Amino acid sequence: MKLATLKDSTRDGKLVVVSKDLTRYSEVGHIARTLQSALDDWAYVGPRLERVAEGIETGSQPTHRFHEHDATSPLPRAYQWADGSAYINHVELVRQARGAEVPESFYSDPLMYQGGSDTFLGPRDPITFPEGADQGWGIDMEGEVTVVVDDVPMGATPEEAAKAIRLIMLVNDVSLRGLIPAELGKGFGFFQSKPSSAFSPVAITPDELGDKWDGGKVHLPLLVHYNGNAFGKPNAGIDMTFDFGQLIAHAAKTRALGAGAIIGSGTVSNKDKDGSPGKPVSEGGLGYSCIAEIRMIETINDDKAKTPFMKFGDSVRIEMKDDKGHSIFGAIEQKVEKA
């Protein structure tokens, strides 16, 4: 099943069920007005939405034309947004570029931060910052996979946590690299350096991925285009040190998670086919999901980062396709603009 939230006059938009090919949708306000309300009572509402999804595919359900630019993030705001860093290759590059070793605990205990979840951007909304932000703030995209969970009790095991996954989305977790060091230096974590994120136009149930959803991981390439050029195609199921069951259990260690909480994978990152930390797509490599990663490799190889961060006017496109080349979640497509 595929779900989207269309923009309307309300903060939370209106929930719709979308066809598998992302061309049509049916309104479901009589079942659940918003995605959050559906998640609040998923055991009852989920099967009813599934019947609508089946009707769309068989032609028995009335539909309208679906346009991705009419969609906001499936959850325009959420009670919880916690982002992990499950790809240890990315963590290793960060530490290596700084001349620091990766602590042994990083391989057994996930990194995670709590992000702002009150004002998500739509998948086609611009990323806006004030004049001069592109000169020192280090504007960067981060392509990731996320899951949306049902209620998760405190202390849930990874196996129990995995059973609570209801939906999967993509996200552009925007980061301001130039602000991160000073914030982390205070010893109190991210805040200003992590502005609003944008999620894919469509959220899907795990069964939509078939055998590509296995072991709590999505085994498909995440496709990132930067200013119209191929920038990255790392596989989200490879080199993922912690699966989503483990990430959710980590988040729920000392608190229960409420229905609708979003858990992110962190920047999708692969070692390249030859075992190197990563090579650009232009050189036959798998590329990157963020600019910081290519800058770290440049620093490691040449003692200097050459690739600049995003400037006003730059654009990013993030999506994932099935084996037949069809978009699964729709595309996040954003441009950096002056506020």
Side-chain angles (χ1 to χ4, degrees):
M1 177 170 59
K2 299 191 176 188
L3 303 173
T5 296
L6 299 184
K7 298 175 182 178
D8 62 10
S9 59
T10 70
R11 290 177 183 266
D12 298 302
K14 65 175 181 179
L15 177 65
V16 298
V17 178
V18 181
S19 61
K20 292 181 182 294
D21 63 4
L22 306 183
T23 63
R24 294 157 293 135
Y25 75 87
S26 282
E27 297 190 358
V28 289
H30 60 293
I31 299 174
R33 180 71 179 79
T34 67
L35 181 53
Q36 182 60 54
S37 64
L39 291 160
D40 285 340
D41 193 15
W42 191 258
Y44 175 69
V45 174
R48 297 182 68 190
L49 295 176
E50 287 279 6
R51 288 193 288 272
V52 173
E54 293 168 5
I56 292 175
E57 302 306 321
T58 61
S60 63
Q61 186 73 26
T63 61
H64 306 276
R65 182 70 180 175
F66 179 67
H67 300 284
E68 291 183 26
H69 63 258
D70 292 333
T72 184
S73 286
L75 285 166
R77 52 181 176 170
Y79 294 119
Q80 178 71 268
W81 160 226
D83 196 16
S85 188
Y87 296 87
I88 201 67
N89 183 60
H90 179 77
V91 178
E92 288 172 342
L93 287 172
V94 172
R95 305 288 291 195
Q96 188 178 350
R98 296 205 321 248
E101 293 186 2
V102 179
E104 194 62 34
S105 63
F106 282 23
Y107 294 91
S108 58
D109 190 32
L111 297 172
M112 185 169 286
Y113 82 92
Q114 188 174 42
S117 59
D118 51 335
T119 57
F120 292 141
L121 300 177
R124 302 299 171 89
D125 290 348
I127 304 166
T128 60
F129 294 114
E131 181 79 36
D134 63 336
Q135 299 303 310
W137 286 10
I139 304 168
D140 199 0
M141 71 278 202
E142 286 193 66
E144 307 181 15
V145 179
T146 68
V147 296
V148 183
V149 300
D150 206 330
D151 293 308
V152 179
M154 180 172 64
T157 66
E159 294 73 23
E160 292 167 339
K163 293 177 182 178
I165 296 172
R166 296 291 171 259
L167 299 169
I168 305 169
M169 306 183 292
L170 305 181
V171 65
N172 179 17
D173 178 43
V174 181
S175 292
L176 301 177
R177 305 292 186 184
L179 304 185
I180 287 176
E183 279 207 303
L184 295 185
K186 295 178 180 179
F188 221 53
F190 300 117
F191 195 86
Q192 293 176 339
S193 51
K194 288 289 186 177
S196 297
S197 299
F199 294 81
S200 50
V202 171
I204 69 170
T205 49
D207 61 283
E208 288 289 330
L209 293 172
D211 62 2
K212 302 302 183 182
W213 174 251
D214 182 51
K217 304 175 183 180
V218 178
H219 295 269
L220 284 167
L222 183 69
L223 307 176
V224 180
H225 283 75
Y226 182 40
N227 289 331
N229 299 312
F231 188 78
K233 51 181 180 180
N235 191 299
I238 296 175
D239 298 325
M240 190 179 186
T241 306
F242 305 101
D243 62 37
F244 277 109
Q246 292 171 304
L247 292 175
I248 297 163
H250 178 82
K253 180 176 180 178
T254 61
R255 73 186 75 182
L257 302 179
I262 305 171
I263 305 296
S265 68
T267 306
V268 177
S269 177
N270 290 168
K271 291 186 181 299
D272 228 300
K273 291 167 281 190
D274 61 1
S276 65
K279 295 189 296 187
V281 173
S282 60
E283 298 177 10
L286 297 174
Y288 319 98
S289 298
C290 67
I291 295 171
E293 196 156 295
I294 188 172
R295 286 173 58 88
M296 287 182 281
I297 291 174
E298 289 169 347
T299 300
I300 293 166
N301 293 338
D302 305 319
D303 293 324
K304 184 179 180 180
K306 297 174 289 187
T307 303
F309 287 115
M310 300 179 83
K311 305 290 186 184
F312 291 125
D314 286 346
S315 63
V316 60
R317 180 182 176 93
I318 300 170
E319 65 181 328
M320 187 174 278
K321 296 182 178 181
D322 62 21
D323 289 339
K324 296 181 179 180
H326 301 141
S327 184
I328 299 171
F329 301 88
I332 300 170
E333 192 165 358
Q334 297 180 282
K335 181 179 287 188
V336 180
E337 298 180 359
K338 295 177 184 178

